[in-house]
Amino acid sequence: MITLTDIHKTFDGKPILRGVNLTLPQGQSTVVIGASGSGKSVLMRSILGLVTPDSGTITHQDAPLNPQAFLNDFGMLFQGAALFDSLPIWQNVAFRLLRQMPKPRARAIALQKLARVGLDADVADRLPATLSGGMQKRAGLARAIATDPSVIFFDEPTTGLDPIMARTINTLIRDIVSETNATTLTITHDMTTVHSIADQVALLDKGKIRWHGTPAQMATATDDKLQAFLFSGS
Amino acid sequence: MIYLAVLGRVVLGTLGALGRVTIFAFSAIVHIFRPPLYVGQFLTSLVQIGWLSLPVVGLTALFTGGALVMQIYAGGARFNAQAVVPQIVAIGMVRELGPVLVGLMVAARVTAAIAAEIATMKVTEQLDALITLSTDPMRYLTVPRVLAALLVVPLLVAVGDVIGIMGGYIVATGSLGFNPTAYLRNTVDFLEPLDIASSLIKGAAFGMIAAIMGCYFGMNADRGARGVGRATKSAVEAAAVLILAANFVLTALIFAL
Ligand SMILES: Nc1ncnc2c1ncn2[C@@H]1O[C@H](COP(=O)(O)OP(=O)(O)O)[C@@H](O)[C@H]1O
Ligand SMILES: [Mg+2]
């Protein structure tokens, strides 16, 4: 379980997070929605230590979250996949594995993860730049799950993909989340992502969690900001 | 008053930036001495910085050596001192022009390439991805490049020195009537170990400056494609200016004290 309490963050005098409280329950899938620029990525980066909050506390299993230890059992799919340009796909996927085991074994696991996300073995030796956006997302997903981490983050997994590819990625994430029993945090403004993977939904608005509940509760919620978000089609 | 305030802000901003660069450089150098080294990254950097810079370094040195001989010959002729051309060319090349030209070429080629590559990684979240994979960008990206530059730029300078002298030799013996054997003997006999050591020391310092500036500005790039362009430009400017400043300081330290 990861708990954020009263997180504040200001950039250049502009408050982005203004007292965020959020709990990511163990083994569950939490999805944070919110308008573009509302601070979803800043929130996620705060947990990873990539952004240092001005105030507030973050705990993991009831102890203060230590990013270094936390990241050892963690995987992430970045918005643009963020594959390393200079490494072939399999080495991207096996990046962490290559430090833990001999090369052939790391490669074997990488190929298995690539297959899991629907990529053929013949992409393994290609460079990321030679793959389409959708294939890069798949490879990024394979990298995120390479070590079977117990915490996985997804930053806008379907943004920039065509609807068919978006559905494929949503399905993959849903299956992986249910297979692995990992604790996951997803940020998105794609409602199909919410409906396909969320156990819990939180709406970030004006630097605070404005509403949170289950997808079922969301359907009957009366919060005007949530309604506006649901119907804006963003 | 407004001018004073602006001036103050500019001065403070510059000092702050200098401080951050200094801290970064210090940290990079400290990390060089702490294993582990990412060997693959290091070997790639050796090839990128050393081997692939050879053509531009060689051509620059060749033309400069040739031009230098003509200038010194013409200047020397005013005092009937044409005989010292080989010696002056050797000193000018080894002590000064070899390291400075190679340093500036490395700043143009290597600093720009490093800054653009790392800035692109920053903009596309690859640096964040590295961190989430428990890998320190300082160790994975900066150290291999700085160490490679530190080791290989002195060799580039040595190559530049030799090719520059050969450029002079070609012009001197080909069109100015110098005796080939005498020219080479004069060059070799005249150069002292300190001349050569200074050349290599300058090369090491300039190589480090070039790599560190590329890494620093790359890692601190602003977001977006414009961030990459701006980081590259700033990195090359900073590297070139710092190399020339370091050249002045090193020359004073080595030869004037
Ligand atoms: N490192 C940073 N420096 C300055 N401003 C930032 C930084 N990171 C994010 N911001 C600002 O914070 C706001 C929220 O950004 P972000 O979290 O990326 O939004 P989103 O909800 O779309 O993920 C934006 O206005 C952005 O410009
Ligand atoms: Mg975002």
Side-chain angles (χ1 to χ4, degrees), chain A residues 45 72 83 85 95-96 99, chain B residues 124 126 128 132-135:
Chain A
R45 295 158 62 82
N72 278 328
L83 298 170
D85 297 318
F95 194 87
R96 198 190 275 280
R99 254 179 287 156
Chain B
T124 57
Q126 292 177 58
D128 293 334
T132 64
L133 290 161
S134 306
T135 303

